[in-house]
Amino acid sequence: MNCKPLIGLALLSAMAIYSCTGTTGAPTAEIPSKDSLVKRGAYLVKIMGCNDCHSPKKMTAQGPVPDEALLLSGHPAAMPVAKFDTATAKDWVLFNMNNTAIAGPWGISFAANLTADSTGIGSWTEEQFGRALRQGMYKGLEGTRHLLPPMPQMPDLADDDLKAIFTYLKSVKPVQNVVPQPLSPPQMAAYYR
């Protein structure tokens, strides 16, 4: 008995069934839910140390910890920077007790408000956020100044991770806080005379 026609018929039948099911064989990218993006973003923000600089601290028996009520709200607008020897800042990087104000050879920079409030990233697009992190552009806008130390640029940040971080930050409790503008070295010297 010649089995070739039977094998051909079996293959055609399998192909017909396969094509009718709508399966293409190519893996489909599953779109993550908002909850899973928020969870992943929270994890990334935690391991990347974003709270180290962007969250005001409160003192505990174990030392300073992020203040949950002000999580990721940046340097408090009403908190003046304590006096320090500005000559030291020419050779050192100095952090205030909250880690939200940082002085160095560039002047003084203040950690940004990353909450969903309009004084933070509330009106930002994901594209702006990506430009801020990947290219180090202030507010993620073309033609603006570069972000100052100690904020790193992250040019290799994966699109999925960027989306997760942005989604998480947009879910954080909005905190109204207009962070001060940075001080250049001459402004810093004049401020502390």
Side-chain angles (χ1 to χ4, degrees):
M1 175 172 188
N2 187 351
C3 293
K4 286 184 183 177
L6 290 175
I7 293 173
L9 185 59
L11 283 172
L12 282 173
S13 297
M15 287 172 49
I17 291 169
Y18 184 72
S19 66
C20 288
T21 62
T23 306
T24 61
T28 57
E30 187 176 314
I31 298 173
S33 69
K34 183 175 180 183
D35 287 344
S36 67
L37 283 171
V38 167
K39 185 177 178 181
R40 172 83 177 148
Y43 167 76
L44 290 168
V45 164
K46 182 177 181 178
I47 66 165
M48 291 168 63
C50 301
N51 282 304
D52 293 349
C53 294
H54 290 277
S55 291
K57 313 301 181 288
K58 60 182 180 181
M59 193 56 69
T60 69
Q62 289 76 39
V65 297
D67 184 340
E68 292 292 324
L70 300 174
L71 202 64
L72 298 164
S73 63
H75 181 77
M79 179 183 285
V81 177
K83 293 215 179 258
F84 63 94
D85 177 13
T86 57
T88 302
K90 292 178 183 171
D91 298 316
W92 288 83
V93 174
L94 308 170
F95 287 76
N96 73 341
M97 289 301 292
N98 268 325
N99 283 351
T100 58
I102 304 91
W106 64 87
I108 301 177
S109 51
F110 300 94
N113 181 347
L114 301 180
T115 72
D117 188 76
S118 63
T119 60
I121 65 164
S123 63
W124 289 31
T125 66
E126 189 175 326
E127 182 182 4
Q128 278 178 271
F129 186 69
R131 196 176 299 119
L133 288 183
R134 291 179 174 144
Q135 298 173 22
M137 301 305 298
Y138 176 68
K139 294 191 176 188
L141 299 172
E142 296 281 351
T144 58
R145 69 171 171 81
H146 284 277
L147 297 178
L148 296 172
M151 184 61 196
Q153 287 185 28
M154 303 173 203
D156 299 324
L157 184 65
D159 289 344
D160 291 348
D161 290 339
L162 177 83
K163 181 178 221 40
I165 294 167
F166 185 67
T167 303
Y168 167 67
L169 292 176
K170 288 287 200 160
S171 77
V172 171
K173 180 187 90 170
V175 176
Q176 185 176 20
N177 180 41
V178 179
V179 172
Q181 289 296 307
L183 299 175
S184 67
Q187 290 171 320
M188 178 175 72
Y191 184 78
Y192 288 107
R193 275 193 199 149

